[in-house]
């Protein structure tokens, strides 16, 4: 390069090759922009998402139906694959690559997901994918299925009137306690037509106006039972009497042993423990003897001719009507539970942003600047080389 080359002379070389310089400027600008946005950025960028969940049971890491909620499952390969299959725009993504480059942490009721940017082709797809991934547990929390009819199923399958009454009582308590539990936790939530407290009072009125204790009294007093139950108790009568005799003998032996241990205990801790064990065994025997006595009296009443198949059948129809009313209350309770959970479940996505790369708005001026520098440099060198060759030929 000539020692006395001035800036104006250098610029003149560029202007002589302004077409070459312009082409170089355009190509380098485009290539720089593509490199920064599609090669450099993905290799440096990390996407971070910050979000919050809230639903009944999450304090205990559970869903409202009792199923365990493990927040690490949010970024499981199974969940990532489910999201990847959900939209056409995700079909070229690799669920395995995403799973290998993703992490999650939980701090002060807030969840944070970090995922490598290179697994996504652009920011929009990355943001949408992460958002869909976050939504999966929330969608599950809002679409839980509840089956509160286990006691009603037990009622249908039961062959004993006493068991049927127990199932009905358990179902009524489930509804009453369920409403009261929701009121204590959520407050008096307003449902579609009325409030939780109104639904609770409706169930209370039903329980008071049609008391199950009266059904239990009538069943025992009048020896109401199913045909299957009658046939069973006739067969079991002798077995119950045998069990009763054995338990009474066992009780007598325990009482004699207890007297002996008590008289020799003298405050000995080991002896005191043995006494407690004996007392527990006696209590268990007494409870069973009371049940057997009740069953035997019931059998005796039935065997004396007090059992009437037709009266029992009429009583069972009354129980069926009670069960039908309770089934309707159960349907209303189930709908109340779903409505309350939908109203109180929360997903708050605080932010999803890329960190560590160059934004498109910054990549554009950088690319233009690199294009200008490259265009000027290439134009100058091309012009200078041509000028040098021309001077060399002249000298020759």
């Amino acid at each position: 390069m000539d020692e006395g080359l001035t800036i104006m002379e250098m610029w003149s070389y560029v202007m002589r090759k302004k077409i070459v310089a312009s082409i170089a400027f355009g190509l380098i600008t485009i290539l720089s922009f593509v490199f920064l946005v599609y090669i450099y950025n993905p290799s440096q960028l990390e996407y971070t998402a910050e979000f919050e969940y809230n639903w009944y049971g999450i304090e205990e890491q559970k869903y409202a139906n009792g199923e365990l909620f493990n927040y690490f499952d949010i970024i499981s390969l199974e969940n990532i694959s489910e999201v990847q299959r959900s939209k056409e725009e995700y079909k070229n993504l690799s669920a395995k690559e995403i799973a290998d480059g993703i992490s999650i942490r939980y701090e002060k009721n807030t969840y944070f997901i970090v995922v490598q940017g290179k697994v996504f082709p652009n920011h929009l797809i990355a943001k949408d994918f992460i958002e869909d991934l976050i939504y999966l547990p929330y969608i599950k929390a809002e679409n839980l299925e509840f089956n509160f009819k286990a006691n009603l199923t037990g009622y249908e399958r039961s062959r004993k009137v006493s068991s049927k009454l127990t199932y009905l009582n358990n179902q009524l308590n489930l509804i009453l306690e369920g409403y009261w539990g929701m009121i204590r936790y959520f407050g008096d939530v307003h449902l579609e037509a009325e409030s939780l407290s109104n639904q609770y009072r409706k169930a209370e009125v039903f329980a008071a106006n049609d008391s199950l204790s009266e059904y239990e009294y009538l069943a025992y007093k009048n020896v109401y039972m199913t045909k299957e139950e009658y046939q069973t108790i006739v067969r079991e009568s002798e077995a119950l009497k045998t069990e009763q005799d054995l338990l009474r003998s066992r009780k007598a032996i325990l009482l004699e042993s207890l007297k002996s241990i008590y008289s020799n205990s003298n405050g000995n801790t080991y002896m005191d423990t043995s006494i407690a064990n004996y007392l527990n065994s006696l209590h268990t025997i007494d409870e069973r003897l009371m049940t057997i006595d009740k069953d035997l009296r019931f059998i005796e009443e039935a065997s004396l001719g007090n059992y009437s198949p037709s009266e029992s059948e009429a009583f069972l129809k009354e129980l069926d009507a009670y069960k039908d009313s309770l089934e309707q209350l159960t349907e209303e309770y189930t709908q109340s539970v779903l409505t309350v959970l939908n109203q109180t479940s929360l997903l708050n996505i605080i932010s999803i942003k890329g960190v560590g790369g160059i934004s498109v708005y910054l990549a554009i001026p950088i690319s233009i600047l690199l294009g200008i520098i490259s265009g000027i440099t290439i134009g100058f060198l091309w012009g200078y080389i041509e000028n040098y060759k021309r001077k060399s030929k002249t000298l020759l």
Side-chain angles (χ1 to χ4, degrees), residues 336-358:
S336 296
V337 169
L338 294 174
T339 302
V340 169
L341 293 180
N342 285 338
Q343 288 186 18
T344 56
S345 297
L346 169 71
L347 167 59
N348 178 27
I349 299 179
I350 300 170
S351 66
I352 300 176
K353 56 187 178 182
V355 178
I358 297 174

Side-chain angles (χ1 to χ4, degrees), residues 244-256:
Q244 185 183 55
D245 292 339
L246 289 172
L247 287 173
R248 285 172 176 171
S249 299
R250 175 62 178 161
K251 180 179 179 180
I253 294 171
L254 286 173
L255 286 172
E256 286 298 323

Side-chain angles (χ1 to χ4, degrees), residues 194-395:
E194 46 193 331
S195 63
L196 271 180
S197 60
N198 288 338
Q199 292 290 86
Y200 176 64
R201 281 192 291 272
K202 181 179 178 181
E204 276 191 318
V205 169
F206 172 80
N209 290 343
D210 214 356
S211 174
L212 278 170
S213 60
E214 293 182 10
Y215 285 99
E216 291 171 357
Y217 171 74
L218 290 172
Y220 188 74
K221 178 184 176 183
N222 299 308
V223 199
Y224 292 142
M225 63 181 74
T226 64
K227 293 178 182 178
E228 296 88 353
E229 184 178 0
Y230 177 74
Q231 294 167 355
T232 300
I233 65 170
V234 171
R235 292 194 304 267
E236 291 181 349
S237 176
E238 291 302 319
L240 287 173
K241 289 177 181 177
T242 301
E243 184 184 358
Q244 185 183 55
D245 292 339
L246 289 172
L247 287 173
R248 285 172 176 171
S249 299
R250 175 62 178 161
K251 180 179 179 180
I253 294 171
L254 286 173
L255 286 172
E256 286 298 323
S257 300
L258 184 60
K259 289 177 183 178
S260 175
I261 292 173
Y262 185 76
S263 61
N264 297 317
S265 64
N266 296 322
N268 187 291
T269 303
Y270 173 75
M271 292 293 190
D272 289 343
T273 303
S274 297
I275 291 171
N277 291 334
Y278 273 94
L279 290 174
N280 287 334
S281 297
L282 284 169
H283 177 69
T284 302
I285 290 173
D286 283 338
E287 283 188 330
R288 179 57 184 159
L289 282 171
M290 288 175 63
T291 301
I292 291 174
D293 287 341
K294 184 178 178 181
D295 289 344
L296 285 173
R297 286 196 301 272
F298 195 60
I299 292 170
E300 185 180 358
E301 288 289 327
S303 63
L304 290 174
N306 292 333
Y307 166 67
S308 169
S310 60
E311 291 180 5
S312 293
E313 187 177 348
F315 178 78
L316 286 168
K317 286 182 179 178
E318 290 184 32
L319 281 189
D320 287 342
Y322 188 99
K323 189 269 297 184
D324 291 340
S325 298
L326 202 52
E327 191 164 17
Q328 179 59 38
L329 283 178
T330 303
E331 293 287 351
E332 293 175 7
Y333 172 68
T334 303
Q335 189 56 51
S336 296
V337 169
L338 294 174
T339 302
V340 169
L341 293 180
N342 285 338
Q343 288 186 18
T344 56
S345 297
L346 169 71
L347 167 59
N348 178 27
I349 299 179
I350 300 170
S351 66
I352 300 176
K353 56 187 178 182
V355 178
I358 297 174
S359 71
V360 173
Y361 300 107
L362 184 59
I364 291 173
I366 291 176
S367 301
I368 292 173
L369 179 61
L370 290 174
I372 290 172
I373 294 172
S374 301
I376 291 174
T377 302
I378 291 172
F380 165 73
L381 290 175
W382 199 309
Y384 178 80
I385 290 170
E386 279 195 351
N387 185 61
Y388 179 79
K389 289 180 178 179
R390 191 166 47 252
K391 284 184 178 181
S392 297
K393 286 180 181 180
T394 304
L395 290 174

